[in-house]
C-alpha cells in the first residue's frame, strides 16, 4: 500500500509537470526564450529524463546565448533521444564558443547518423567559412553536398540554405 501510494504521488507530480511543460512550450514556440528558460528550469527536476523536454530546454538556452548550459542540457538529452538535431545544436553551441574542432565533430556525427539530410552539411559549410577555422577544401566539399544532394522533399528551407551557400562561396 505504501509503495502504491508513492507511485501514485510520483505519477501525479509527473502529470502536473507535463501540463506545465505544455505552457512552457507555448513560450518556447513563440520565441520568448528567457521566459521559457525560467519555466523549463522549474520543470527540470521532474522531467530531466524526457528527451524531448531536454531538447527543447537546451535549444531554448541556445537561442538565449547560454551556450554552456545548453550544451550540458543537450548532452543529457542524448541519453534519451537519438535525434540528430541535438547534435546540430551542440555543434552550434561549440561554434558560438569558438571551439571549432568540437563543432566539426558534432556536425560530422550528425551527418553520419542521417547522411541523407542536407542541414548538417550546411552547418559544416558555414563552420568551414568561419574566419577562425577557414578551410577552403572542406568548405567546397560541404557546399557541394548542400547544392547537389537531392532532398526527400523540396522546401523553402532547402532553397534558403542553397541561396546562403551561393552567397558564402
Amino acid at each position: 500500500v505504501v509503495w502504491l501510494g508513492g507511485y501514485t504521488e510520483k505519477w501525479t507530480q509527473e502529470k502536473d509537470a507535463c501540463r506545465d511543460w505544455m505552457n512552457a512550450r507555448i513560450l518556447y514556440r513563440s520565441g520568448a526564450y528567457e521566459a521559457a528558460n525560467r519555466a523549463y528550469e522549474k520543470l527540470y527536476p521532474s522531467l530531466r529524463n524526457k528527451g524531448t523536454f531536454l531538447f527543447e530546454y537546451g535549444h531554448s538556452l541556445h537561442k538565449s546565448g547560454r551556450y554552456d548550459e545548453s550544451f550540458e542540457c543537450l548532452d543529457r538529452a542524448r541519453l534519451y533521444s537519438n535525434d540528430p538535431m541535438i547534435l546540430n545544436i551542440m555543434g552550434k553551441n561549440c561554434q558560438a564558443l569558438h571551439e571549432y574542432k568540437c563543432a566539426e565533430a558534432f556536425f560530422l556525427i550528425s551527418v553520419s547518423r542521417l547522411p541523407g539530410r542536407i542541414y548538417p552539411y550546411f552547418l559544416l559549410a558555414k563552420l568551414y567559412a568561419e574566419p577562425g577555422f577557414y578551410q577552403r577544401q572542406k568548405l567546397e566539399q560541404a557546399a557541394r553536398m548542400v547544392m547537389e544532394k537531392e532532398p526527400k522533399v523540396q522546401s523553402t528551407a532547402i532553397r534558403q540554405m542553397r541561396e546562403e551557400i551561393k552567397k558564402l562561396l
Side-chain angles (χ1 to χ4, degrees):
V1 172
V2 171
W3 176 81
L4 186 58
Y7 184 77
T8 302
E9 177 65 26
K10 182 182 181 317
W11 182 81
T12 302
Q13 287 174 350
E14 188 168 313
K15 187 176 108 184
D16 291 344
C18 285
R19 185 190 64 242
D20 293 341
W21 175 20
M22 294 306 114
N23 294 329
R25 185 176 259 180
I26 292 168
L27 297 169
Y28 167 74
R29 289 185 176 166
S30 68
Y33 298 116
E34 288 300 334
N37 291 341
R38 287 189 295 276
Y40 285 140
E41 187 175 359
K42 290 176 186 170
L43 295 169
Y44 182 84
S46 299
L47 300 175
R48 69 180 179 272
N49 298 330
K50 303 262 185 236
T52 306
F53 168 79
L54 292 167
F55 171 76
E56 285 178 14
Y57 186 18
H59 190 236
S60 184
L61 290 166
H62 168 80
K63 290 291 200 174
S64 302
R66 294 163 60 179
Y67 304 118
D68 288 324
E69 293 171 73
S70 171
F71 189 91
E72 288 177 30
C73 192
L74 292 168
D75 196 36
R76 183 167 177 83
R78 288 192 314 161
L79 299 173
Y80 303 99
S81 173
N82 62 358
D83 183 349
M85 276 306 291
I86 293 170
L87 300 167
N88 294 334
I89 303 302
M90 290 178 80
K92 289 171 74 171
N93 285 333
C94 292
Q95 186 173 355
L97 295 168
H98 306 288
E99 296 173 6
Y100 300 120
K101 284 287 189 191
C102 175
E104 181 183 35
F106 280 109
F107 295 150
L108 288 173
I109 294 167
S110 180
V111 163
S112 69
R113 189 165 289 176
L114 282 175
R117 294 251 174 109
I118 294 173
Y119 186 58
Y121 290 107
F122 172 73
L123 294 174
L124 276 168
K126 288 181 66 173
L127 175 67
Y128 295 138
E130 285 265 339
F133 195 66
Y134 184 76
Q135 297 180 42
R136 184 174 180 79
Q137 245 182 336
K138 288 182 176 183
L139 167 60
E140 289 172 355
Q141 185 179 3
R144 187 171 38 259
M145 293 301 288
V146 172
M147 300 305 286
E148 295 175 2
K149 192 171 256 316
E150 193 59 40
K152 284 203 290 189
V153 177
Q154 287 291 344
S155 69
T156 304
I158 299 291
R159 285 188 290 280
Q160 288 173 341
M161 281 189 270
R162 288 180 172 165
E163 284 298 317
E164 192 169 336
I165 291 298
K166 284 179 190 175
K167 291 176 187 174
L168 195 65
L169 293 172

